[in-house]
Structures are given as C-alpha cells and as structure tokens.
Amino acid sequence: MIILGFESSCDETGVAAVCTERGLLAHALHTQVAMHASYGGVVPELASRDHVRRVIPLAREVMRASELSLSDLGAIAYTAGPGLAGALLVGASVAQAIAWSLDLPAIPIHHLEGHLLSPRMASPCPEFPFVALLVSGGHTQLMRVDDVGSYTLLGETLDDAAGEAFDKTAKLLGLGYPGGPALAKLAEQGDPSQIVLPRPMLHSHTLDFSFSGLKTAVMTRLKDALLQPVVSPTLQADLAAATQEAIVDVLVAKSVAALVQTGLKRLVVAGGVGANQSLRKRLQAKLVRLQAQAFFPPLELCTDNGAMIAFAAAQRVQRGLADLGAQGHGFNVSPRWDLAQI
Ligand code: KG4
Ligand code: ZN
C-alpha cells in the first residue's frame, strides 16, 4: 500500500509518499525558519498561514517525484498532535479532504511516534525491543519500545527539553533562532573545560531530566561578561562548548542508565537534537564499550518531516494497527497528547 503523509505540527511543512513494501518513495519539505527568525521563535498564526500556502505544492512535488497518480494511493496519513493547534489543523484538514475525495482511509499519527520509528527508515534497521531517546524542541523522553504502538515512558524532562536548552542558550549568546545547530557550530571553536556548568539531575537515580538550570547558569556567567564593552568571541565559543557538553553528558548518562535498567542493547535516538554530532559521537563511543548499538535516523530526517509520518502509518498498517474501515472524515487534533496513551 502507498501512503501519502502530511506533517504540519510546528514550523515545517512536510509531505511524503511511503510504500509498505518498498519504503520511502519521495518526500518534500519546507522549513519556516527564515520567516520566524526575526521574532526569535515560532509565531503560531504565521506558521498556520504558511502551512496553508505550502502544503498543496509540496504534495504535488511528492506525487511528481514518485511518479504516482492519485489512484495509486491507498491511505492518507497526517500528524494529529501534539503541536500547535492551528498548524495541526492545516495538515489534518488537507489530509482528511484528500482522503474523503478519493474515498480512502485517513490515519492520524502521533508526532513523537513518527520521530521514534524514523530510525527504522535507515539501514541497519533497529529491531524491537529498543530504548528510544526522543530529543526534540518540545520533548525529552526515554521510552521503552517493544513494538509499533507499544511504548512505555521510562523518564522525561521535568522542565525544559534538551532542544529548548540549546535554543534558549543560543538566544542568550545572540545566535538567533533556532539555536541548536548554530550553538553546535560555535561549540566546535570553544573549550568546554574553561567554564563549569551544572549537569542537572545527573545523579538523581531516576531517568528524568531537568535542563532549565543550565540557561540560568549561562545567564549568570554572561551577566558578568556583559559589564565589559564587548563579550569576547572566545568566551562565547567556550560557553557554547560547555553548554553542549553539559547537555550531551546528561543525555548520554541517562540513556546508558535506561539500557542498564531495561537490559536492552539497542538505543534509538530521534528528534531534532539527534542531528547533534557531539551527541552522536559520544553515544556511539559509549555504547560500543557496553556492547550495545546506537541507531539514528538519516540526518535529513532528524528534524520534522513528512516521511516519518507516512512511515509510521505504514508500520501501523503492516501490523493491523490502523483503522482502514469506512470513516466519516470528521476529525480532531490533539495539541497536547501523551505518547503512552495511544
Ligand atoms: O524534532 P524537531 O525538528 O522539532 C520538534 O518536534 O520540536 O527538533 C527541533 C529542535 C530544536 O530545538 C533545534 O534547535 C534542535 O532540535 N536541533 C539541534 C540540532 N539540530 C536541531 N540541537 C543541537 N544540535 C543540532 N545539530
Ligand atoms: Zn518533532
């Protein structure tokens, strides 16, 4: 079966075609980063309007690239939550309208399920069960994944997400939005040992995280520097490197603790922060010593995209977990939605 999938939960419009047998056929993406940059963060109303503008041209692009006609499609998938309500409604309404007009089933997908199954698009594909470290702009969670649809929360952040910690620190350092990639780039020139930052909850004996203290520590360090006429580029780079190291230290330690606690040997990393090269290198090195294996999505599919939504739907269809029966095409979106409840 070929599934056309739509992602519009935040500031990326993504569309993709995935075949249950052949995998990803084509995907197209538009990121709104440039549009939101001058506001220092996502403006929900602007996000919704831009999704409206982009979604149909992107769908046409995917149909062209995969050489599909509408009659080839077997189902339409879309992100039903969590995310920005107005933004979610764009993808949901377009997907439901297409499904209704073609008399196809529509499959609502949880955004985080999309992220955590996305490493299964790469080769080698992680077999179940595995531990998933979900690190996005809004979420930091460790989950035990026994199969598609079988997710147990092991631990999560009590305040800021890891991506948020990257973004907020980057903002303090004047690196613009979204700050994660910019902070990671600046960190390459810095020396993390020059500045001591806290490793929140590192020794808490739980699998929970807390990152909000990190930005406060950076702010305090910067306040002293701001009394000088200019903040030195060396200090900026050292702060970026120290911040990245503190976040990565905690993510690596908790991921290892989750593997030990569950007795599992496979760790899947998903979500935008999964693109961070320092995290990738440190986890890989650590896991080799534990005779465990780390899996990452293809780099371009770490951040939000339509491929992970169409792919999650395909995995649900293959296991008989998607409702493919007659549907009314009325729909809801769930801006707040716990993955453990699906
Ligand atoms: O998964 P995602 O695209 O969107 C959400 O669902 O939130 O993740 C976006 C987050 C942002 O916080 C962004 O700064 C962070 O991922 N990010 C990175 C990197 N690339 C994206 N953080 C650190 N290093 C990166 N290379
Ligand atoms: Zn995401």
Side-chain angles (χ1 to χ4, degrees):
M1 178 190 285
I2 294 173
I3 298 167
L4 189 67
F6 292 85
E7 155 64 30
S8 70
S9 65
C10 189
D11 58 347
E12 260 104 23
T13 322
V15 184
V18 164
C19 173
T20 45
E21 278 76 42
R22 287 180 289 147
L24 180 62
L25 302 178
H27 84 111
L29 189 69
H30 174 77
T31 176
Q32 304 175 353
V33 161
M35 186 180 79
H36 297 294
S38 54
Y39 301 94
V42 178
V43 183
E45 181 61 22
L46 293 183
S48 312
R49 288 173 190 223
D50 201 60
H51 287 307
V52 172
R53 271 193 293 273
R54 307 287 174 180
V55 66
I56 296 298
L58 287 172
R60 288 213 170 95
E61 193 181 322
V62 167
M63 296 299 286
R64 245 194 330 268
S66 52
E67 298 179 350
L68 292 172
S69 62
L70 292 174
S71 59
D72 295 323
L73 300 177
I76 312 293
Y78 62 94
T79 305
L84 301 170
L88 287 166
L89 280 168
V90 178
S93 53
V94 166
Q96 287 284 2
I98 295 174
W100 175 77
S101 63
L102 298 175
D103 199 19
L104 293 176
I107 306 174
I109 293 293
H110 193 292
H111 180 81
L112 296 182
E113 180 176 47
H115 273 305
L116 73 81
L117 295 178
S118 63
R120 288 177 52 84
M121 280 188 273
S123 176
C125 163
E127 297 299 326
F128 298 110
F130 55 74
V131 170
L133 172 68
L134 269 176
V135 270
S136 68
H139 295 85
T140 298
Q141 296 184 332
L142 278 161
M143 315 273 311
R144 181 191 165 105
V145 179
D146 284 295
D147 204 337
V148 177
S150 178
Y151 313 120
T152 311
L153 183 67
L154 302 172
E156 65 182 334
T157 184
L158 304 178
D159 41 55
D160 287 353
E164 227 171 336
F166 269 105
D167 292 342
K168 287 181 176 173
T169 310
K171 202 167 181 179
L172 289 172
L173 294 175
L175 299 178
Y177 160 86
L183 188 135
K185 196 163 186 338
L186 183 60
E188 287 169 17
Q189 297 155 34
D191 176 359
S193 68
Q194 292 301 312
I195 295 159
V196 179
L197 291 178
R199 268 68 174 151
M201 296 187 72
L202 190 61
H203 303 294
S204 68
H205 302 295
T206 71
L207 296 176
D208 290 330
F209 305 83
S210 164
F211 288 110
S212 65
L214 205 50
K215 67 171 185 295
T216 314
V218 172
M219 206 166 5
T220 311
R221 188 67 182 76
L222 265 176
K223 235 186 237 156
D224 303 336
L226 286 174
L227 298 174
Q228 311 298 322
V230 280
V231 179
S232 94
T234 313
L235 173 64
Q236 268 197 320
D238 289 348
L239 271 170
T243 302
Q244 175 172 269
E245 193 176 78
I247 296 171
V248 169
D249 273 356
V250 177
L251 293 177
V252 170
K254 298 276 175 174
S255 300
V256 167
L259 288 173
V260 171
Q261 184 179 308
T262 56
L264 298 177
K265 289 286 182 190
R266 285 180 288 267
L267 178 79
V268 155
V269 183
V273 181
N276 186 276
Q277 292 303 324
S278 168
L279 176 64
R280 286 182 172 228
K281 277 190 206 130
R282 290 271 310 282
L283 268 177
Q284 251 147 359
K286 187 83 186 173
L287 264 53
V288 165
R289 270 180 269 145
L290 291 172
Q291 292 180 318
Q293 220 183 333
F295 297 86
F296 300 90
L299 209 51
E300 57 162 329
L301 301 182
C302 274
T303 47
D304 292 349
N305 62 83
M308 68 185 195
I309 301 306
F311 182 74
Q315 303 245 302
R316 288 195 153 259
V317 167
Q318 279 179 319
R319 283 171 169 72
L321 293 174
D323 177 9
L324 301 178
Q327 296 176 355
H329 295 298
F331 62 92
N332 256 327
V333 294
S334 309
R336 289 178 168 276
W337 188 7
D338 189 343
L339 182 59
Q341 287 170 356
I342 66 172

